[in-house]
Structures are given as structure tokens and as C-alpha cells.
Amino acid sequence: MASKAEIRAEAARLQAVFEAAGGVAVDADILQPASTLLDLYGEDIRARAFVTHDPLAGEQMLRPDFTVPVVQMHMADGAEPARYTYSGEVFRRQEEASERPSEYLQVGYEVFDRADVARSDAEVFTLFNEVLAPLNLRAATGDIGILIAAVQALSTSERRKAALLRHLWRPGRFRALLERFGGMSPVPETRTKLLQDADPLARAKPLIGLRSVDDISERIEALRADAKEPAIDAGQVALLEEILSLRANAPDALNTLNGMSQRMPGLSGAVERLATRLDALAGNGIDIASLPFEASYGRTSMEYYDGFVFGFYAGNRPDLPPVATGGRYDALTKMLGQGGSIPAVGGVIRPGLTLQLAQVRQ
């Protein structure tokens, strides 16, 4: 097993590669304000982060990720094109039975550029592919933007679309909602009784939670409005499930999605962006004919991705986490941009894993 000093040396080597590619070295505080992450992801982030409390600064989280603070830093100085690199520890809570570390080093590269989105996607993927080539890893790619476009193209209420998009990164919850909105599963009996009651709050016990009476009343009215909505067309549900299950090499996936866009025109823009990206990757020397594409890839990663997503894995070590992951997060720059925004894409590598795999190959 590699020592901490060896892993840090590997991190420095990787960061030097990213600096040579144009990345400006930056850092981020280990303690991050919890409010930002809670606003972005809700209470679910607590299950994955280490939370502490500062008597002056309030609730804080040990840095679970670099992208959010790097975006905040960049957007505070304006939305100009830039490239950054960084290296440092991140902290993620693991499941009880997991042997994966809760603290490990990441080295990252981020591109903020509005000139050519497809070219930026290809730049980041190609750079990672070249850096990791000696390890003979398995690549994975996907596109969250296609899933977002498919949900937005459904013939249903904006409220239902928003609910599906909110749970896009929680596959179990997403499927349960889709089945309910598609009329394939019944509304829970407790909810039916609640909605049939003329005044559900009349016999309510004293409030002990954080929601006010107005909040609860608004939620009840929203549920009543939803109950009157017709089921999503079965054909659209079936098409969305086809998209979610799509796995093929990139050109075949593109052909399939082009056919699907004839049945769901709202997909067209996202599919065109995929085609442009594949052209840019091919222009960089990537063999797209053998590049895997999985439409659902990235749904269990950080929730800020909204376009191209990728990862690199040790094919003979399924027990290991991904050696590298990344993707596009345009919407995040707008959310944190204080009125500005800029397309952005990036990724991270775990130097502990690259060193471990390199030692095995020696």
C-alpha cells in the first residue's frame, strides 16, 4: 500500500500535468459553509458529508468536493473564461459495511469557457484519457442533459416535471414517481384519506416541525391539484424508460437517440449536442466507435451535473471506486453566479488509486 507521502507526490505529478494544460492552481477551505450545499442538495447531503458547528460561522461541512467552492470563487470574480487545477483532501461518509476511505486526495481540472461547449467537453475528456492511458482503464460516458430534456418533454404539469427532475439522481424515488404519475401504481391510502378530508388541519396536533401552517396548507393544495392531473401518456413513459436503459457504443447510441427524437421532438437539441461532442472527441483522436455510452450514467454522482458525464474504472477491480469522474455543470455557475453564468466542465482523479493500480502493473 502506498504511503501518504507517495500519494501526495502522485497528486503533485497529476496537478503539474493540469497546470501544463493551462490550469491555474487554486485551493479551497477544508471547512465549507453548510448552507450552500444544503441549498443545492437539500438535507440528503447530510448523509454523505461530515457536519460540524462553529459558534460564530454556524453549521459547517468538511469539504466533500472541490467543484462548488471553485465555482463560487470563479463567479465572485466574474464569469470570464478560465482554467483551474487543485489538489487536496475531500471527506465523504461511507456506508457502514464499506471499506472505502472517508478521507482521500483529489486532483482536479475545471474549464470555464463559453466559446465552444463541445470542444471544452472534448478537451477535458481527452486530457483525462491521456493522463490515465498507462493504466488501461475502462471509460464510461453519459449525458444528463438528455435525461433532463426527456423529462421536460413529457406532456404533464410543470410541477410533476420538477418533481421528477429533483429526484433524477435518486433512481428508486424517480421510478416510484414515474410509475405513480403514469398511473401504474396507486396513490398511497394515507394520502387519499388526507385529500378527501375537507380540512385536514382541523384535527391536527400542535405543530412541532419547521413547517408553518401556511407551508402545510400549500403542500396539501399542491397534492390536490396533482391528484386531478391525468396520467402521463403510456407511450411517453415507455420511451423515457427506453432512454434510461440505453447502453451502446457512442455512435449506435446517437443513432438510437436520433430515432427517439422523432417520437419525442423535445430531445432534438440534447441529441444534437451529443453529436457535436462526439465530432469534437473524434477530432481529438478519441476512438468514438468503441466509446461506451450509457444514458443513465452519472445518476448516482454529485447532483450538479447537467450535461456530459464521464468516468474511468479499473476493469479488473470492480471493488474499487472510479479512478476519475467528471462532467458538465452549466446550471451550477448560474445558481452560484450572483447574476452571471458561464458554461463549465471538469473532473477529478484520485491519485491514491492511480498509484495503487500503477504499482500492480509494474
Side-chain angles (χ1 to χ4, degrees):
M1 180 177 293
S3 67
K4 287 187 176 181
E6 290 173 322
I7 295 173
R8 289 193 179 281
E10 172 70 354
R13 182 189 73 83
L14 293 169
Q15 188 171 16
V17 173
F18 291 150
E19 287 180 356
V24 176
V26 294
D27 200 0
D29 293 339
I30 289 179
L31 277 178
Q32 294 288 320
S35 58
T36 300
L37 292 166
L38 289 170
D39 287 345
L40 286 171
Y41 310 125
E43 291 294 323
D44 287 353
I45 190 65
R46 291 185 187 276
R48 292 175 282 167
F50 291 93
V51 183
T52 186
H53 187 83
D54 183 279
L56 296 178
E59 199 169 36
Q60 305 281 295
M61 288 184 180
L62 291 179
R63 182 176 62 208
D65 167 79
F66 271 93
T67 302
V68 170
V70 169
V71 170
Q72 287 182 300
M73 175 207 70
H74 179 73
M75 299 309 292
D77 293 333
E80 296 303 313
R83 284 161 175 74
Y84 299 108
T85 181
Y86 48 81
S87 175
E89 291 84 358
V90 295
F91 306 84
R92 304 268 184 90
R93 292 175 61 179
Q94 304 294 337
E95 297 178 2
E96 293 182 8
S98 174
E99 296 181 358
R100 295 180 179 181
S102 298
E103 173 188 348
Y104 54 89
L105 276 172
Q106 277 187 351
V107 182
Y109 181 71
E110 313 288 340
V111 174
F112 296 80
D113 198 337
R114 60 174 56 86
D116 190 329
V117 168
R119 182 175 295 179
S120 295
D121 287 345
E123 173 192 338
V124 173
F125 181 86
T126 304
L127 180 58
F128 275 59
N129 188 62
E130 291 173 351
V131 168
L132 299 170
L135 301 178
N136 194 30
L137 302 178
R138 173 180 63 85
T141 68
D143 193 332
I144 299 296
I146 286 174
L147 301 183
I148 292 173
V151 170
Q152 291 176 333
L154 294 173
S155 298
T156 190
S157 67
E158 293 302 317
R159 190 185 299 275
R160 284 186 168 182
K161 293 178 188 179
L164 288 167
L165 290 174
R166 187 166 57 251
H167 293 287
L168 190 59
W169 288 267
R170 303 169 187 86
R173 177 60 176 158
F174 180 91
R175 177 158 294 279
L177 281 175
L178 185 61
E179 290 179 353
R180 180 159 64 82
F181 295 161
M184 295 174 285
S185 62
V187 177
E189 184 179 352
T190 53
R191 178 174 294 184
T192 301
K193 290 181 178 179
L194 174 69
L195 298 181
Q196 290 174 344
D197 194 329
D199 186 2
L201 294 177
R203 295 182 299 279
K205 296 179 180 180
L207 297 179
I208 58 174
L210 297 177
R211 290 185 177 180
S212 68
V213 171
D214 288 342
D215 290 337
I216 296 171
S217 297
E218 184 178 342
R219 175 60 177 162
I220 291 172
E221 289 307 310
L223 290 173
R224 284 176 169 162
D226 184 74
K228 298 176 182 178
E229 283 285 330
I232 299 175
D233 177 75
Q236 288 192 338
V237 172
L239 180 56
L240 181 53
E241 290 179 336
E242 283 183 51
I243 295 170
L244 290 168
S245 63
L246 176 61
R247 300 181 69 173
N249 62 51
D252 287 346
L254 177 60
N255 288 336
T256 299
L257 288 165
N258 270 320
M260 290 177 172
S261 67
Q262 301 301 311
R263 298 152 58 191
M264 183 180 277
L267 284 177
S268 297
V271 175
E272 288 173 7
R273 286 189 288 275
L274 171 60
T276 305
R277 182 186 312 124
L278 292 180
D279 287 342
L281 287 167
N284 281 4
I286 300 297
D287 179 13
I288 62 170
S290 61
L291 185 66
F293 181 90
E294 182 179 349
S296 284
Y297 181 73
R299 292 181 68 201
T300 57
S301 63
M302 297 300 283
E303 298 174 22
Y304 44 68
Y305 293 133
D306 55 11
F308 177 49
V309 283
F310 66 88
F312 289 88
Y313 299 79
N316 60 344
R317 290 293 306 274
D319 57 307
L320 293 179
V323 178
T325 56
R328 176 159 292 281
Y329 49 89
D330 295 351
L332 184 63
T333 71
K334 185 174 183 179
M335 293 171 68
L336 301 177
Q338 304 174 42
S341 65
I342 184 171
V345 60
V348 294
I349 297 177
R350 292 179 62 159
L353 292 179
T354 60
L355 191 59
Q356 178 182 341
L357 294 169
Q359 290 173 341
V360 170
R361 291 178 60 84
Q362 290 176 354

